[in-house]
Amino acid sequence: MTHRTLSPGRLIAATHNKGKVRELKDLFEPLGLEVVSAIDLDLPEPEETESSFAGNALLKARAAAEKTGAPALSDDSGLSVTLLNGAPGIYSARWAGDPRDFGVAMARVEQELQAAGNSDRSAKFVCALAMVWPDGHEEVFEGEVHGELVWPPRGDRGFGYDPIFVADGETITFGEMDPDRKHAMSHRADAFRKLKAALLP
Ligand code: IMP
């Protein structure tokens, strides 16, 4: 596939998640891009109807590029547990219920691991970053970080499932880790490195 160079200018962060907007601004603004979020523009939040991280990321970026006429970037991510055949996967946010409670979501992961025999506690975080231009050109980059799940949860830094995830080669959870250190090894960092190598030569 021929990659397209991302030129300086406006980039829509196609997400309503403030944490993701912050991270995308930190990553893209030093590269000369003006990051404007779906929150700033009051864009509608499309329903995530696809069955993969990449599919859902593309759906969100397409909707934002069509509405604004500017290139749009979105992130879809989650936790994939080996023994649970990849669950919660694209349902990672939904397992936390409404309003979101990741204590509930983490307890469900542990409960389902025990019910499945607890013979394998490996898991990975996955991130798909989708970039869509208003003329329909689109590219997706996927990143992963592999690790093991621990119980009980440890640490109050980070978010989501961070307190039960220990990356391979580490002894502390993402919830206990200095955020800069997590951001250097995370699934999002991995996807971003691939995006940068392809689109910002
Ligand atoms: P999305 O907004 O549909 O992409 O949902 C992503 C969900 O996956 C989040 O709400 C978190 O539960 C989980 N998730 C994604 N990335 C991370 C991470 O870095 N740490 C912990 N949980 C994460």
Side-chain angles (χ1 to χ4, degrees), residues 2-198:
T2 315
H3 295 299
R4 181 181 291 188
T5 303
L6 188 56
S7 329
R10 206 157 74 119
L11 176 66
I12 313 300
T15 176
H16 286 75
N17 177 322
K18 287 188 184 141
K20 286 185 185 175
V21 172
R22 181 73 265 146
E23 258 185 69
L24 294 174
K25 282 193 177 187
D26 287 349
L27 293 170
F28 285 89
E29 288 189 341
L31 307 170
L33 287 142
E34 185 205 345
V35 177
V36 184
S37 78
I39 308 170
D40 301 331
L41 298 173
D42 205 17
L43 297 178
E45 209 169 353
E47 209 186 320
E48 297 184 10
T49 50
E50 292 291 328
S51 55
S52 66
F53 293 112
N56 281 329
L58 276 168
L59 175 153
K60 291 186 270 188
R62 266 182 213 135
E66 274 166 24
K67 273 254 184 278
T68 60
L73 177 79
S74 74
D75 161 308
D76 200 61
S77 49
L79 178 73
S80 173
V81 181
T82 312
L83 194 60
L84 306 182
N85 302 313
I90 58 164
Y91 302 104
S92 293
R94 283 166 265 186
W95 274 30
D98 189 13
R100 301 260 182 267
D101 181 345
F102 281 95
V104 169
M106 290 187 286
R108 177 161 169 200
V109 168
E110 182 59 22
Q111 220 169 44
E112 297 210 6
L113 267 178
Q114 296 297 339
N118 198 27
S119 52
D120 179 358
R121 297 189 60 89
S122 66
K124 63 182 175 184
F125 276 124
V126 181
C127 171
L129 285 177
M131 186 69 222
V132 175
W133 280 262
D135 67 356
H137 181 80
E138 47 191 46
E139 309 205 20
V140 185
F141 303 90
E142 278 206 354
E144 295 186 350
V145 56
H146 293 250
E148 295 274 325
L149 298 176
V150 296
W151 194 259
R154 303 193 320 241
D156 54 10
R157 308 173 97 171
F159 69 101
Y161 298 86
D162 281 341
I164 56 170
F165 186 84
V166 176
D168 287 349
E170 301 290 328
T171 53
I172 57 173
T173 68
F174 271 180
E176 294 171 305
M177 194 176 273
D178 178 78
D180 285 346
R181 188 168 162 75
K182 179 197 161 189
H183 294 154
M185 69 173 76
S186 76
H187 45 317
R188 209 162 284 109
D190 186 30
F192 181 69
R193 263 191 297 274
K194 291 174 185 164
L195 180 150
K196 215 165 128 181

